[in-house]
Amino acid sequence: MGNAIKFRHTSAPRHPSETARIKIVKGSDYGTIFILTGARATIGRGDENDIVLSDLKASRLHAELIFNQNNWKIKDLGSANGILWNDQVKSVSDLKPHDTVSIGETVFEFFTPDVHMSVLEAPAREISNIINEQSNLSLRKAEIRALAGVKNTEDKKRGKNLEKTDLFSKKSGLIGLVVIIIFLVLFLNPQPEQKNLVLKNKTDEIRDLASYLPESIPTAQDKTAEMYYRSGFREYREGNYLRAKTQFETVLQILPGHRLAGIYLEKCESSIKEEVRTHLERGKKSFDSGKLKKAKGHYEAVLRLLFRDQTSKEYFEAKEQLEKLVIHE
């Protein structure tokens, strides 16, 4: 007990001693975050656990998370209902970022500290979105394995054909030499028109080969990410930076490598900081000039902007000023 810190709100900043974190994405504890600060943490319904669940279908001592040899594992501790790792029954399994674990009616998503900060601080996702993402990833892996199998088959056929070609070449070496000599004599200095014709034929051949390449078809995951990105960009353009930030964070949860979402997320965070600074300055001026109602509006705006960062000094400053306003009213 004591190897995990519980946060009831939907996001939490990176902890200095953080070794991993889990986000509850389904169940009675939905939205809760547990930050692990050690190499081991137990999970269950009992109060003696590091991670205490209110799920009645979880055993009193259900499972444990163990860090060993640069790798995290989840291990069942003889629970009544067992555990599911990515919807597969497992007694012990390795854990990677974005893996899901089901305990009773509770499902949590696992993260390591090396995951992008925007993903760590993002609100817990809906379990349906996570399942769709895992399904799409499994399909893509299956497609890659299938393509690899086709390639291996083609390579074997090509090897057999090469063996036949080598045998034929040995038998007809003299004929080939004669053909080469004739070719050099007749076509050593081709006319410009002939050179252009040869170049054109090669270009057409390359285009014909390119037509056999598979088209890049956007997956359901790509389409969902693009939908959230467009929504976030609209909010950003209209100056609704807090809403835009949430949309861009969702994009990065779906596609962590989305470059534009990462860029605009940083722009949103910078704009929010600037708005907070402006509201604090105007709130102070309004308070000093006796305009208490205006001052209250500015400080409340700061609390709305920083509702997911309630440990910042700006949040405490606005809260303190609001308490002073209550006394003066």
Side-chain angles (χ1 to χ4, degrees), residues 232-233 235-236 240-249 268:
F233 186 75
E235 296 290 354
Y236 175 81
N240 301 323
Y241 301 118
L242 197 60
R243 293 180 184 175
K245 179 182 177 182
T246 302
Q247 300 296 328
F248 292 134
E249 286 173 342
C268 286

Side-chain angles (χ1 to χ4, degrees), residues 169-186:
S169 297
K170 290 178 182 178
K171 291 182 179 180
S172 58
L174 183 59
I175 297 174
L177 182 60
V178 173
V179 171
I180 292 172
I181 294 172
I182 295 172
F183 176 81
L184 291 174
V185 172
L186 296 177

Side-chain angles (χ1 to χ4, degrees), residues 71-304:
N71 190 39
W72 278 97
K73 293 180 180 291
I74 180 79
K75 180 181 179 182
D76 185 18
L77 296 177
S79 62
N81 296 320
I83 60 175
L84 293 177
W85 170 83
N86 292 341
D87 283 339
Q88 300 177 34
V89 178
K90 295 278 186 178
S91 57
V92 179
S93 180
D94 292 336
L95 284 176
K96 304 183 298 301
H98 300 291
D99 280 351
T100 57
V101 176
S102 301
I103 292 178
E105 293 183 344
T106 299
V107 182
F108 68 78
E109 189 174 9
F110 178 80
F111 298 94
T112 52
D114 56 349
V115 174
H116 194 278
M117 193 62 202
S118 60
V119 176
L120 291 180
E121 291 188 341
R125 294 190 289 168
E126 294 290 339
I127 184 61
S128 57
N129 294 335
I130 297 174
I131 292 173
N132 288 336
E133 180 181 325
Q134 291 176 345
S135 299
N136 291 331
L137 184 60
S138 299
L139 288 173
R140 294 178 73 175
K141 287 181 178 178
E143 290 174 359
I144 292 171
R145 285 195 295 267
L147 288 173
V150 171
K151 185 178 183 300
N152 290 336
T153 303
E154 290 178 350
D155 288 343
K156 289 179 181 178
K157 290 181 179 179
R158 192 178 296 112
K160 291 180 180 179
N161 292 335
L162 285 174
E163 290 178 1
K164 293 179 180 180
T165 303
D166 291 341
L167 182 61
F168 175 78
S169 297
K170 290 178 182 178
K171 291 182 179 180
S172 58
L174 183 59
I175 297 174
L177 182 60
V178 173
V179 171
I180 292 172
I181 294 172
I182 295 172
F183 176 81
L184 291 174
V185 172
L186 296 177
F187 302 100
L188 186 59
N189 296 310
Q191 296 299 320
E193 292 181 358
Q194 292 176 322
K195 290 182 179 180
N196 293 336
L197 181 60
V198 172
L199 182 61
K200 183 177 182 300
N201 291 336
K202 288 184 177 180
T203 304
D204 292 340
E205 182 182 352
I206 292 171
R207 289 175 179 172
D208 290 341
L209 290 174
S211 66
Y212 289 98
L213 294 175
E215 296 182 0
S216 178
I217 302 174
T219 64
Q221 183 180 357
D222 295 330
K223 292 178 180 178
T224 302
E226 185 64 21
M227 178 186 69
Y228 280 108
Y229 172 75
R230 291 179 181 276
S231 175
F233 186 75
R234 284 195 299 270
E235 296 290 354
Y236 175 81
R237 190 172 53 190
E238 294 173 5
N240 301 323
Y241 301 118
L242 197 60
R243 293 180 184 175
K245 179 182 177 182
T246 302
Q247 300 296 328
F248 292 134
E249 286 173 342
T250 304
V251 173
L252 290 173
Q253 283 189 333
I254 299 171
L255 291 178
H258 200 293
R259 186 176 63 86
L260 289 176
I263 292 173
Y264 279 102
L265 177 60
E266 292 179 0
K267 289 179 179 290
C268 286
E269 291 172 346
S270 176
S271 298
I272 289 172
K273 287 180 181 178
E274 182 63 25
E275 281 194 6
V276 168
R277 186 186 64 80
T278 301
H279 280 299
L280 287 175
E281 290 178 353
R282 291 180 179 176
K284 185 177 184 305
K285 289 180 180 178
S286 298
F287 181 81
D288 293 340
S289 60
K291 300 176 181 179
L292 302 184
K293 189 174 181 180
K294 283 189 176 181
K296 182 180 179 182
H298 287 300
Y299 291 130
E300 286 176 344
V302 172
L303 296 185
R304 284 196 300 272

